[in-house]
Amino acid sequence: MSELSSHIGVISRHRPGLRERKKQQTRTRIIDVALRLCDDQGFDATTVEQIADAADVSPRTVNRYFDSKEAIVIAPIEGWGQALADQLRAQPITGDEMQALLGAFMAVVDQIIDSDTPVPFRWFQQMQRISRDSVAVRALSMESAETKTRAMTEVLAERLRLPQDHMTVRIIAATWHGIVRVGMECEFDDDSEFPDCTTATTAHQLAENVLAAFGEFRRMCCGTATTIPPVNAENLLANATNPTA
């Protein structure tokens, strides 16, 4: 077999087939349409039939991909969890898994800033607004966080050489989820200790918010102040992966 044929074979094995790519495109279109409709006209006022019509599929197809409207709205969490897992696997093992998670998070945000992948930032904005107005969506989001980010937990367990259900793995994962949730949802008034931490309207601002929440977490746990430098698209990774900088 020639070297070229060998490379083609490797690419073919890793590239999804046409059928799988079409399924992914359909799923993405359903999510995009559902988030837009639920955000524009309200979660309760939006029906599966409307989502199906706007996505140019049948209601049965929508139900085949998602078992509820709530599940469509929180679908971006799964894509984010997989992307975070991929980046976490590339982080150096230093014994500080919280710092590794921060580095992985910043790497994903950097991708979003550069190319709006793997999950469009607008999806998170829409999901956040919908969750704020819908108790059902908010409840499912909290209940499903661990399941939707299972890929991240698997990598974390591998790095720690522990079972996935080990208390250490669960505590680190739960703590990280809490930090990110605060970063995504923080809204502080003028008297706040973090006057610059407002609801994220850009991926850049999300990074700053999570860094602020992470810094406060470190301060509370270590008992010392942690300085969080300003973040921009160029130094996201540098700030995340080089804590001594």
Side-chain angles (χ1 to χ4, degrees):
M1 179 183 293
S2 69
E3 185 176 352
L4 177 59
S5 298
S6 178
H7 284 312
I8 292 174
V10 170
I11 293 172
S12 298
R13 286 195 297 273
H14 287 85
R15 186 187 185 199
L18 177 61
R19 180 181 177 85
E20 188 60 34
R21 294 202 304 274
K22 285 186 175 180
K23 287 173 62 177
Q24 185 57 50
Q25 289 168 0
T26 299
R27 184 177 186 276
T28 298
R29 189 165 65 252
I30 291 171
I31 295 171
D32 195 56
V33 164
L35 287 171
R36 175 174 55 80
L37 290 177
C38 290
D39 189 31
D40 288 347
Q41 60 191 31
F43 179 78
D44 292 334
T46 302
T47 66
V48 171
E49 287 72 21
Q50 289 174 328
I51 295 171
D53 183 64
D56 197 25
V57 297
S58 68
R60 183 176 179 180
T61 296
V62 173
N63 291 328
R64 190 163 64 242
Y65 282 87
F66 302 97
D67 57 12
S68 67
K69 275 196 308 177
E70 291 86 350
I72 307 176
V73 173
I74 68 169
I77 297 175
E78 185 174 1
W80 177 276
Q82 183 58 59
L84 185 64
D86 293 340
Q87 292 296 340
L88 180 59
R89 185 170 279 111
Q91 294 296 308
I93 298 178
T94 63
D96 188 344
E97 289 305 306
M98 292 302 298
Q99 187 69 40
L101 282 163
L102 179 63
F105 176 88
M106 290 301 171
V108 176
V109 174
D110 202 39
Q111 283 183 291
I112 293 174
I113 290 174
D114 286 343
S115 59
D116 211 26
T117 59
V119 180
F121 183 71
R122 70 177 183 280
W123 282 9
F124 284 102
Q125 293 176 293
Q126 293 166 327
M127 183 178 66
Q128 188 175 357
R129 288 192 293 264
I130 296 166
S131 297
R132 190 175 296 152
D133 295 334
S134 171
V135 175
V137 173
R138 188 161 59 249
L140 185 61
S141 174
M142 297 181 69
E143 291 175 7
S144 302
E146 185 174 348
T147 300
K148 294 292 185 182
T149 56
R150 184 170 294 160
M152 181 209 78
T153 305
E154 289 176 357
V155 176
L156 184 60
E158 290 172 9
R159 290 169 60 88
L160 292 168
R161 298 183 179 181
L162 293 171
Q164 290 181 47
D165 60 353
H166 192 280
M167 182 179 292
T168 298
V169 176
R170 294 170 61 189
I171 287 176
I172 293 174
T175 302
W176 174 251
H177 289 324
I179 290 171
V180 174
R181 184 174 292 276
V182 170
M184 289 187 69
E185 299 178 353
C186 63
E187 289 187 70
F188 300 114
D189 56 31
D190 293 337
D191 297 325
S192 169
E193 293 182 43
F194 306 102
D196 294 329
C197 189
T198 57
T199 301
T201 57
T202 65
H204 180 282
Q205 193 171 48
L206 172 62
E208 291 185 328
N209 286 1
V210 171
L211 277 171
F214 187 86
E216 178 63 3
F217 162 74
R218 287 294 209 205
R219 186 191 69 80
M220 292 174 62
C221 291
C222 302
T224 57
T226 301
T227 300
I228 300 298
V231 181
N232 56 48
E234 288 72 31
N235 67 18
L236 275 174
L237 285 175
N239 287 338
T241 59
N242 186 8
T244 61

